[in-house]
Amino acid sequence: MLRLPAPLYDTATETTPDDGQGGGDLGALPEWDLSDLYTAMDAPEIASDLDRARGMVTELAGHDGKLADLSGDELAASIAVNERLETILGRIMSYAGLLYQQNSTDPARAKFMGDMQGTITTLVNPAVFFGLELKRIPDARLEEMFGESAALRRYRPWIDQLRAWRPHQLSDDLEKFLHDQSVVGAAAWNRLFDETMAGLSFEIDGKSLGIAETLDLLVSSDRDKREAGGR
């Protein structure tokens, strides 16, 4: 899906060691072409996909507390909706994540990544029940559903894998709490780590090198350069 070449963030100042021995300007470096996902952070397709996702969440929320009462075909249809929902949201977060990883020191990209994480966390909150409740359907009832619906049997490997985690499932309230806190928890610390590492610079032999260039010195054939990089 993703194609390479094009210009990188600021090619006028980007330099990398040409042979592990010193800094050589390689000129314009490649940049991921993410246009197969979205063309820009403000692309109207992102807002459109978020609206579609909200509609799917509303549809799923209508089954809250009722999954075991659905027919096999109805449960299969709801799983298909959940599948499309995850595809849309995965597309958005793939774009936001790849865009951010291209240049994690760019405030606009970092903000977009954080905004999308927050928006999607809030958006899917009413549908968090779906996987939790699917795990709680009694085995006998689920077997009945499989028996009456070829469409549901298509999802059996996924359902079996999901239900294998039943012994480790927390209460719904706690699972939803952890979901809500994810944006200000692990995700926030991961972004802070990435931005901190990307912003590091080191003075070596009169040159200011970034973290990638400095780490590259550790595999230089020149022992003195390896030591300088290590220090």
Side-chain angles (χ1 to χ4, degrees):
M1 174 181 287
L2 304 180
R3 300 184 293 271
L4 271 177
L8 193 63
Y9 345 146
D10 182 2
T11 56
T13 58
E14 263 320 305
T15 60
T16 57
D18 50 5
D19 58 1
Q21 304 299 313
D25 189 348
L26 299 182
L29 300 179
E31 181 181 67
W32 290 326
D33 179 357
L34 304 180
S35 59
D36 285 333
L37 295 171
Y38 299 101
T39 56
M41 289 184 281
D42 59 354
E45 291 82 5
I46 294 178
S48 176
D49 279 350
L50 287 173
D51 285 340
R52 289 172 56 209
R54 290 187 184 94
M56 293 175 187
V57 168
T58 299
E59 183 176 349
L60 289 175
H63 298 306
D64 193 352
K66 306 172 185 176
L67 290 187
D69 299 327
L70 299 177
S71 69
D73 284 343
E74 288 172 338
L75 182 59
S78 68
I79 292 175
V81 171
N82 184 69
E83 185 178 28
R84 292 195 299 273
L85 173 65
E86 291 187 353
T87 298
I88 290 173
L89 299 184
R91 179 188 180 95
I92 293 173
M93 287 312 303
S94 292
Y95 176 72
L98 290 169
L99 194 69
Y100 171 71
Q101 291 300 330
Q102 279 183 335
N103 186 359
S104 56
T105 60
D106 181 352
R109 299 184 190 212
K111 181 180 185 302
F112 179 71
M113 176 73 167
D115 287 350
M116 288 300 100
Q117 286 178 324
T119 296
I120 288 175
T121 297
T122 301
L123 186 153
V124 301
N125 188 278
V128 170
F129 83 93
F130 189 79
L132 304 176
E133 190 172 328
L134 188 55
K135 295 176 194 173
R136 289 199 301 267
I137 297 177
D139 291 340
R141 174 58 186 142
L142 191 58
E143 287 301 326
E144 290 178 9
M145 292 175 162
F146 282 134
E148 68 187 33
S149 174
L152 184 61
R153 289 195 293 274
R154 173 177 176 267
Y155 290 107
R156 180 156 199 161
W158 175 77
I159 293 173
D160 288 345
Q161 183 183 44
L162 180 71
R163 287 166 65 85
W165 290 93
R166 278 183 294 176
H168 311 288
Q169 182 168 309
L170 303 174
S171 69
D172 285 9
D173 287 344
L174 189 51
E175 291 280 5
K176 290 176 180 178
F177 172 78
L178 293 175
H179 169 80
D180 291 341
Q181 293 299 307
S182 62
V183 175
V184 294
W189 281 109
N190 287 340
R191 287 203 311 276
L192 176 62
F193 176 84
D194 288 343
E195 291 165 16
T196 300
M197 293 296 288
L200 294 176
S201 62
F202 304 89
E203 195 73 22
I204 300 177
D205 294 334
K207 295 181 179 179
S208 180
L209 302 182
I211 184 69
E213 296 167 307
T214 303
L215 291 175
D216 189 61
L217 294 176
L218 299 180
V219 295
S220 170
S221 59
D222 186 324
R223 184 186 186 283
D224 291 338
K225 289 186 178 297
R226 292 199 305 275
E227 181 179 0
R231 291 186 180 279

